[in-house]
Amino acid sequence: MSDYIIAPSILSADFARLGEEVDNVLKSGADWVHFDVMDNHYVPNLTIGPLVCDALRKHGVTAPIDVHLMVKPVDRIIPDFAQAGATSITFHPEASEHVDRSLQLIRDQGCQSGLVFNPATPLDVLEWVIDKVDIVLLMSVNPGFGGQKFIPATLEKARQAREIIDRSGRDIRLEIDGGVNADNIGEIAKAGVDTFVSGSALFGKGQDSDPNRYDSIVKAMRDELAKVKR
């Protein structure tokens, strides 16, 4: 398993100063930028599109940008995000007419590809397309809004996903999104997760006394992860 990755979700950032927020959280020790895209159709919320992704790249962000598409259909928007600087693009199987084709489209655009599974969505489809998957993202809340509480049943699902990934022998990230904080990140890691999306629990804990506002909360997460035997 690769090193643990912390991926702050900018959905919870201050959009009036988004570039500064992203700079600070990366300087605080975060690894990726998690980019939630909602269309007010697949999920009941409307967020941001490729122009914001492109703006972050032009601002000077060089860290991986992990784009999570909560849109339906997905294929039309995939090339736009690839051109805007996405590193990885994940989508929900329910939002694609042809999951294999959508995964290949992402890879053809030069990005890492991944599937996202809602709390009640089974993992069945994963084994049939695992040769085209770089990231498995498990939703530990119902998608659409930040600030929700972690759904405990996701831990068993994470263990199942880890078994599937390990059995495949492939280098695939197991990511989780929803209600992740310093109090539960260790338990989540023990279930086999290696990549952690955190929104309000991270951006909501900024401290002016920290050099980069988020140093303390990122360190608290790292300290908990360091306790997990791998």
Side-chain angles (χ1 to χ4, degrees):
M1 190 187 303
S2 304
D3 292 339
Y4 290 127
I5 293 291
I6 294 177
S9 170
I10 62 171
L11 183 64
S12 298
D14 181 352
F15 273 75
R17 51 191 187 94
L18 183 57
E20 179 186 350
E21 286 271 77
V22 172
D23 287 344
N24 283 338
V25 80
L26 291 172
K27 289 177 184 176
S28 296
D31 304 288
W32 293 1
V33 178
H34 189 75
F35 198 101
D36 289 307
V37 184
M38 306 181 190
D39 64 353
N40 198 35
H41 178 65
Y42 179 70
V43 292
N45 197 2
L46 184 65
T47 58
I48 47 181
L51 289 177
V52 178
C53 184
D54 183 60
L56 286 176
R57 288 301 191 204
K58 289 178 178 176
H59 174 74
V61 174
T62 58
I65 295 180
D66 179 36
V67 173
H68 171 197
L69 295 179
M70 288 166 272
V71 303
K72 185 176 183 179
V74 299
D75 288 6
R76 166 60 187 85
I77 201 73
I78 286 170
D80 293 346
F81 271 101
Q83 293 169 20
T87 306
S88 55
I89 300 175
T90 60
F91 66 93
H92 296 251
E94 308 95 313
S96 171
E97 293 295 327
H98 304 282
V99 174
D100 185 90
R101 182 178 294 166
S102 297
L103 288 167
Q104 188 61 54
L105 175 60
I106 293 170
R107 288 191 159 193
D108 288 346
Q109 297 293 317
C111 299
Q112 291 188 318
S113 60
L115 291 178
V116 189
F117 296 90
N118 286 331
T121 303
L123 296 170
D124 303 6
V125 67
L126 176 59
E127 300 203 55
W128 298 102
V129 293
I130 200 163
D131 60 314
K132 291 184 173 69
V133 171
D134 301 295
I135 300 170
V136 175
L137 172 55
L138 303 180
M139 294 302 298
S140 43
V141 298
N142 288 296
F145 298 93
Q148 299 182 64
K149 291 184 178 180
F150 182 87
I151 296 175
T154 313
L155 292 174
E156 176 57 29
K157 196 173 195 178
R159 287 187 279 267
Q160 292 178 13
R162 172 50 61 193
E163 288 182 11
I164 294 171
I165 291 170
D166 289 349
R167 194 163 60 242
S168 76
R170 297 179 178 276
D171 186 15
I172 297 171
R173 282 269 171 197
L174 180 54
E175 185 174 16
I176 202 158
D177 182 0
V180 177
N181 54 53
D183 293 330
N184 62 17
I185 196 169
E187 184 180 16
I188 296 168
K190 289 177 184 176
V193 175
D194 55 61
T195 304
F196 307 86
V197 177
S198 184
S200 56
L202 204 159
F203 281 109
K205 297 291 180 68
Q207 300 180 28
D208 292 335
S209 57
D210 282 352
N212 303 296
R213 279 194 58 76
Y214 304 106
D215 307 73
S216 295
I217 184 61
V218 173
K219 182 180 183 301
M221 291 180 174
R222 294 280 186 211
D223 288 347
E224 291 303 314
L225 290 172
K227 299 175 184 177
V228 179
K229 294 182 179 180
R230 310 179 68 177

